[in-house]
């Protein structure tokens, strides 16, 4: 398990909180290139679905973020969905994406 810097650990905490608050399968958080953070949970509506990371990226972009510095996903499945990875990679090719278990244990850090 990789050790995280404080700012990246904060993303995991925010992602865990988002997941727990709405009892979603996933929670996610992103930090933009200005240092602002955005958190979201899975969106599962009859007319549209978003992974938690897609929702967090959408929140960042709709707030004027110009780039993503890092992202974190907390998932009970223990895997990163392709759509989640693509949401970050569309904006930031090399931003780390942290995958953590619901208890906050870091499972993986995807660098590319």
């Amino acid at each position: 398990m990789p050790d995280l810097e404080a700012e990246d650990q904060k993303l995991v905490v925010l992602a865990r909180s988002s997941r727990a608050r709405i009892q979603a399968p996933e929670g996610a958080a992103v930090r933009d290139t200005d240092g602002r953070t955005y958190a979201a949970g899975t969106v599962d509506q009859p007319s549209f679905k978003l992974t938690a990371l897609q929702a967090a990226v959408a929140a960042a972009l709709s707030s004027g973020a110009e780039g993503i510095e890092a992202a974190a996903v907390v998932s009970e499945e223990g895997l990163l969905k392709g759509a989640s990875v693509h949401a970050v990679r569309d904006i930031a090719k090399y931003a780390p994406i942290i995958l953590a278990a619901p208890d906050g244990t870091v499972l993986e850090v995807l660098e590319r």
Side-chain angles (χ1 to χ4, degrees), residues 19-55:
R19 180 181 175 275
R21 184 175 54 251
I22 62 171
Q23 298 179 12
E26 289 184 341
V30 298
R31 182 175 59 250
D32 72 12
T33 51
D34 290 330
R36 297 174 296 192
T37 56
Y38 308 86
T42 307
V43 177
D44 190 356
Q45 295 295 307
S47 62
F48 71 100
K49 298 179 186 328
L50 296 173
T51 69
L53 193 48
Q54 286 175 318

Side-chain angles (χ1 to χ4, degrees), residues 5-90:
E5 293 184 20
E7 288 299 308
D8 291 342
Q9 187 60 44
K10 177 181 169 184
L11 291 177
V12 173
V13 170
L14 289 170
R16 287 182 71 205
S17 297
S18 291
R19 180 181 175 275
R21 184 175 54 251
I22 62 171
Q23 298 179 12
E26 289 184 341
V30 298
R31 182 175 59 250
D32 72 12
T33 51
D34 290 330
R36 297 174 296 192
T37 56
Y38 308 86
T42 307
V43 177
D44 190 356
Q45 295 295 307
S47 62
F48 71 100
K49 298 179 186 328
L50 296 173
T51 69
L53 193 48
Q54 286 175 318
V57 168
L61 292 175
S62 68
S63 296
E66 295 183 11
I68 300 294
E69 190 173 279
V73 176
V74 172
S75 173
E76 57 192 20
E77 291 181 23
L79 60 94
L80 282 169
K81 295 179 179 159
S84 294
V85 174
H86 293 302
V88 173
R89 294 294 174 249
D90 285 346

Side-chain angles (χ1 to χ4, degrees), residues 84-107:
S84 294
V85 174
H86 293 302
V88 173
R89 294 294 174 249
D90 285 346
I91 302 153
K93 215 172 228 187
Y94 302 110
I97 304 171
I98 303 155
L99 174 63
D103 67 358
T105 302
V106 176
L107 303 173

